[in-house]
Amino acid sequence: MQRRLAAILAADVVGYSRLMGTDEIGTLTSLKAHRRELVDSAIAEHHGRIVKTTGDGMLVEFASVVDAVGCAVNIQRDMVRRNAGIAEDKQIVFRIGINVGDIIIDGDDIFGDGVNIAARLETLCEPGGVCISRAANDQIRDKLSIAFADLGEQAVKNISRAVGVFGLAAKDIAALPAVSASATEDTVRSAAPKYEQEIHFCQTGDSVQLAYARMGQGFPIVKTGNWLTHIEFDFDSPVWQPLYRELCRDNTFLRYDARGNGLSDREVTDVTFERFVGDLETVVDAAGLDRFALLGISQGCAVSIAYAVRHPDRVSHLVLFGGYALGWKKRARAESEKEAGEAMLTLMRIGWGQENPAFRQMFTTQFIPDASKTQTDWFNEFQRISASPADAVRNLVANGETDVTSLLSQVRVPTLVMHSRHDARVPMEAGRRMAAGIPGARFVPLESRNHLIMEHEPAFERFLQELRAFVAPKPEAA
C-alpha cells in the first residue's frame, strides 16, 4: 500500500431510488447518456481518474484540486441545460463533494479519511450544487474566480472531528461560465512563481522514499529537510514562496521533504537524527551534486552541521538560520520545561489532525507571530497537510533529542549563522551558542520575532543580502 496527497471527488444522484422505482429503464438510459456525453469527458478533460462507480455514484481522483473543482462546476452547470424541458420528477440531478487529503492506494482503489470526508461532503450538498472542504477551498481561492460560501464547521458521520464546509449553490453555478481545463492550467501558471520546479524521488538505505525538488540555475544551494514541509504545496504558499523564489533566482536550489513529511513516505517509524543525516546524504547523491552550499533552517541546522563534518569536501559554505545544537528536551534546564514539552506531545497526538485549527494555532504563533491573516490561515492548515499526528510527534521527539555540541568544533567549512533576535520558537541564545562553538563562524542577529522570516519585514532583505554576499563566488586573486 502507498500514500499520497490527492483531490477526491464523490458524486451521486439525488433521489435515485425514487427515480428507479418510477421508471427503471428510463432512469438507467438517462444516467448512461449523461455519463457518456458529459461526465466521463469532463473528468478526462480535467485529468481525473475514475476510481469506481456505485450504481448512481462515483469516486474520482485528481492530482489537482483546481481540476477537481473545475470539473465539478462544469458538470453541474451543463446538467442544468441537459435537464431543461424534462419533467422535474424525471430529472437526473447530482450532488458533488470534494476534499483534498492524504489517501491510501491499494491496487486501483483508494481509502482513508481523505476519501471518507469527500463522501460525507457530497451528502451535505444541496441538489445540483458542490460542497468542498476547508483544505480544498484554501487551495483554490487564489486560482479560480469562484466564491464558495462558508457553511461553518459541521459534524459528519463516522468522522471524529468537525469538518469545515464550503458550498456553491445550484443557482450560483448556473450563472458561472464554463471552466475549461486550459483555463485552470492558465490560472495555476499565472499564480505560480517565476521558476518551475522539477520533483524527483530517491530511496534511502532503509527503503524510505524521499521527494526532492530542483529549480533555477547556477551554483547549487541545498536546503536541508526540516519539519513541516511539502514540496508541492509550500512552493505556492504565502509563507515559503517568497524565499524560494529568491533562492533560485541566481542559483540551482534543491530542497526535499524529510521522512514523514510532505511527498516523502509517511508513517515511517524510524525517525532519528542519524536517519535525518543519512537522508540528506541520499538526496544530494541522487541529485548528482558534488559541491554545494548547504542551508539549514530550524532543526535542519543540526543536520547540516553533522553532514558538513562528515563531508567537508562537498560543502562550500554553511548557512544556518534559526537553529540550535541542542534539541528542546536536551536544553530544557528545569523539570517544568521538560514537562511542558511532554504535554505538548500529548496535545499534538490529540489535536493535530482536527479540522478546527485551534491547536495548530499555538504552533503558528510560535513560528510566525507577526504573520498576516492570510499567512496564518495557510500555515494553520499546512501543518495538517504536511504531516499526520503520529508523524508530527515522531519528528518533534527526534528533534528534542538532538545534540551536536561535540561536532561544533570539528566544522571546517565557512559558516554564517543568523537568528531572529526575538524568536518565539527557538531562543536566540541557542543560535548564539551554536555560532560560538563553530571555529570562525560569523553571527548575524536579525530584527524579527518570527522563527520563519516573512517577506514584508526588513529582516527578510537582510537575510538575503547576507546569504548572497557569503555564498557568492569570490573573484580570483590577480
Side-chain angles (χ1 to χ4, degrees):
M1 294 186 185
Q2 297 179 325
R3 288 180 178 269
R4 64 168 171 257
L5 199 69
I8 307 98
L9 181 153
D12 78 345
V13 175
V14 178
Y16 182 69
S17 297
R18 175 186 56 79
L19 290 167
M20 289 290 285
T22 303
D23 183 1
E24 189 175 82
I25 300 300
T27 298
L28 286 174
T29 301
S30 296
L31 183 56
K32 287 182 178 180
H34 293 316
R35 280 281 310 271
R36 182 178 62 254
E37 298 167 10
L38 170 62
V39 177
D40 290 358
S41 59
I43 291 170
E45 181 187 357
H46 288 83
H47 318 296
R49 177 180 76 90
I50 298 176
V51 177
K52 59 186 172 185
T53 59
T54 55
D56 67 318
M58 66 173 59
L59 191 66
V60 188
E61 178 193 357
F62 294 84
S64 162
V65 70
V66 175
D67 275 327
V69 173
C71 178
V73 168
N74 278 0
I75 290 172
Q76 297 291 51
R77 178 180 173 276
D78 286 354
M79 282 304 297
V80 174
R81 174 180 56 80
R82 295 175 71 89
N83 279 323
I86 297 176
E88 187 173 342
D89 62 344
K90 293 186 177 181
Q91 291 180 2
I92 301 290
V93 179
F94 294 110
R95 296 179 300 188
I96 299 177
I98 296 173
N99 181 42
V100 59
D102 196 44
I103 62 172
I104 300 170
I105 302 97
D106 186 9
D108 291 330
D109 210 348
I110 59 176
F111 304 92
D113 267 2
V115 178
N116 296 338
I117 290 173
R120 300 310 174 201
L121 288 169
E122 170 253 297
T123 65
L124 295 173
C125 187
E126 73 165 54
V130 178
C131 271
I132 65 176
S133 64
R134 184 182 303 279
N137 189 68
D138 288 345
Q139 291 297 321
I140 69 159
R141 62 186 175 188
D142 296 325
K143 297 174 182 176
L144 289 177
S145 299
I146 301 174
F148 281 75
D150 189 345
L151 304 181
E153 306 282 323
Q154 300 200 29
V156 296
K157 183 180 178 182
N158 295 333
I159 301 295
S160 59
R161 61 185 183 273
V163 176
V165 180
F166 290 74
L168 193 62
K171 60 181 177 60
D172 297 323
I173 292 175
L176 290 173
V179 184
S180 69
S182 61
T184 60
E185 290 167 1
D186 289 343
T187 54
V188 172
R189 212 167 17 245
S190 64
K194 179 180 178 182
Y195 299 98
E196 294 183 356
Q197 63 177 353
E198 299 176 1
I199 295 177
H200 304 271
F201 292 88
C202 58
Q203 188 163 317
T204 66
D206 61 334
S207 300
V208 174
Q209 280 194 337
L210 301 176
Y212 67 93
R214 185 199 300 264
M215 65 199 84
Q217 292 183 331
F219 184 75
I221 296 176
V222 176
K223 175 183 171 292
T224 301
N226 55 273
W227 187 35
L228 300 180
T229 65
H230 193 301
I231 59 173
E232 181 184 11
F233 285 99
D234 59 25
F235 187 53
D236 291 328
S237 81
V239 172
W240 287 110
Q241 185 201 76
L243 177 62
Y244 294 165
R245 183 180 63 233
E246 292 295 335
L247 291 177
C248 66
R249 193 175 71 182
D250 302 312
N251 298 87
T252 296
F253 179 51
L254 186 141
R255 72 194 205 285
Y256 63 95
D257 287 330
R259 57 178 60 206
N261 288 266
L263 286 180
S264 292
D265 278 354
R266 305 285 191 97
E267 305 303 330
V268 179
T269 56
D270 191 2
V271 178
T272 63
F273 180 79
E274 281 301 313
R275 288 299 189 190
F276 289 153
V277 180
D279 291 348
L280 173 56
E281 293 172 329
T282 298
V283 169
V284 295
D285 287 346
L289 299 180
D290 295 323
R291 190 163 171 79
F292 49 89
L294 190 56
L295 168 63
I297 295 178
S298 193
Q299 71 268 27
C301 293
V303 176
S304 300
I305 288 168
Y307 183 91
V309 169
R310 297 180 190 183
H311 307 280
D313 55 321
R314 300 183 71 174
V315 180
S316 65
H317 302 81
L318 187 59
V319 180
L320 308 174
F321 172 66
Y324 48 82
L326 278 176
W328 61 268
K329 193 171 185 178
K330 296 280 189 178
R331 65 175 183 265
R333 297 179 180 178
E335 191 62 32
S336 59
E337 292 178 292
K338 295 180 181 179
E339 291 176 357
E342 294 299 329
M344 186 65 74
L345 290 173
T346 299
L347 288 172
M348 184 179 289
R349 293 185 181 98
I350 299 170
W352 187 268
Q354 293 182 6
E355 187 77 14
N356 187 319
F359 171 77
R360 297 186 300 278
Q361 176 73 21
M362 291 192 296
F363 283 88
T364 300
T365 55
Q366 288 186 328
F367 278 91
I368 46 176
D370 291 334
S372 66
K373 186 178 186 305
T374 298
Q375 292 166 332
T376 297
D377 289 346
W378 181 87
F379 199 74
N380 283 342
E381 182 59 25
F382 179 70
Q383 292 172 58
R384 188 167 66 90
I385 290 175
S386 63
S388 70
D391 285 327
V393 167
R394 281 189 283 263
N395 272 269
L396 192 57
V397 168
N399 295 334
E401 298 291 344
T402 296
D403 185 352
V404 294
T405 51
S406 63
L407 299 180
L408 298 179
S409 62
Q410 302 176 46
V411 176
R412 297 292 181 265
V413 175
T415 304
L416 170 65
V417 179
M418 293 184 278
H419 209 107
S420 294
R421 192 181 294 276
H422 308 289
D423 191 332
R425 179 69 184 170
V426 178
M428 190 179 77
E429 178 65 11
R432 189 192 68 79
R433 287 180 175 275
M434 183 175 65
I438 299 175
R442 179 165 174 254
F443 182 66
V444 177
L446 301 175
E447 291 300 328
S448 174
R449 296 199 308 152
N450 293 316
H451 186 56
L452 308 175
I453 50 175
M454 300 288 98
E455 184 182 26
H456 64 269
E457 57 183 331
F460 185 82
E461 286 301 322
R462 177 74 187 281
F463 173 89
L464 290 173
Q465 289 170 3
E466 294 287 350
L467 183 147
R468 284 172 176 150
F470 182 67
V471 174
K474 305 299 185 287
E476 296 291 336

